[in-house]
Amino acid sequence: LSHARTVIGIDGVAAADLLARFLPIDLHDSVFGPGRFALSGLHAIPVMLHRRADGDAGPAYELYVPTTWAASVWESLNESAAPFGYSVIAA
């Protein structure tokens, strides 16, 4: 099962706003601070969200997505990041 999930990193000042478009999770710092995990669904795809320690660019998250659905989630995030002036890039 080591290849069952793909990790998508999302960070920056608008990261929580981007994720809020997809996940029914309260991402406010007082509720979902660094080190927290949550299981949720993104367009009926089961995902796990991890709030990492904030980086230089702002809040940082890791989204664990079933590998089968990773490309679809990637495309959705990339399209939704455009209005914020961001794009999803490979790390």
Side-chain angles (χ1 to χ4, degrees):
L1 293 176
S2 64
H3 293 71
R5 295 195 180 259
T6 297
V7 180
I8 299 173
I10 302 165
D11 64 302
V13 294
D17 294 331
L18 172 63
L19 289 169
R21 291 180 170 208
F22 295 98
L23 302 173
I25 299 171
D26 185 351
L27 298 174
H28 191 270
D29 287 340
S30 65
V31 178
F32 199 76
R36 299 290 308 263
F37 286 86
L39 295 174
S40 188
L42 189 150
H43 296 301
I45 300 167
V47 297
M48 182 172 62
L49 182 66
H50 173 218
R51 169 79 185 269
R52 298 182 320 197
D54 294 350
D56 293 337
Y61 301 88
E62 289 181 336
L63 193 62
Y64 294 81
V65 182
T67 301
T68 308
W69 296 101
S72 175
V73 170
W74 177 282
E75 290 170 6
S76 294
L77 289 170
N78 197 36
E79 289 174 11
S80 295
F84 296 105
Y86 294 103
S87 62
V88 180
I89 59 169

